Amino acid sequence: MSILQRFSDGIRRSRKQLGLTQEQAAEALSISVRSFQYIESGKRIPSTILTLNIIAVLGIQGKNLREEK
């Protein structure tokens, strides 16, 4: 599994753990829902600033990015 896929899976897991919809997460990040969907699906690589914002808003930690076995 690629780093991008682990990151996008971590975004999805963290968003769901917080009980947020994709729409709510996108609003919190000040991006469009479509952009958030592309990032969460691994179809788009977020900028460094957006990546840091995603980590902060969703509280992503390193353990959320490990491959599940």
Side-chain angles (χ1 to χ4, degrees):
M1 182 181 292
S2 72
I3 291 172
L4 178 59
Q5 192 59 49
R6 282 195 300 250
F7 182 64
S8 61
D9 288 348
I11 291 171
R12 184 177 305 105
R13 273 194 305 277
S14 295
R15 177 183 59 78
K16 288 182 176 185
Q17 286 174 352
L18 292 172
L20 297 175
T21 64
Q22 289 180 328
E23 291 80 9
Q24 291 168 323
E27 184 177 332
L29 294 164
S30 299
I31 61 173
S32 71
V33 175
R34 176 68 75 195
S35 290
F36 184 81
Q37 290 169 336
Y38 282 147
I39 292 166
E40 191 177 79
S41 68
K43 294 178 182 176
R44 178 174 172 229
I45 300 170
S47 68
T48 303
I49 296 296
L50 182 53
T51 298
L52 294 173
N53 287 338
I54 291 169
I55 290 168
V57 167
L58 298 181
I60 295 176
Q61 299 176 351
K63 67 181 179 180
N64 291 342
L65 301 179
R66 293 189 192 132
E67 281 188 71
E68 294 191 12
K69 298 178 181 173

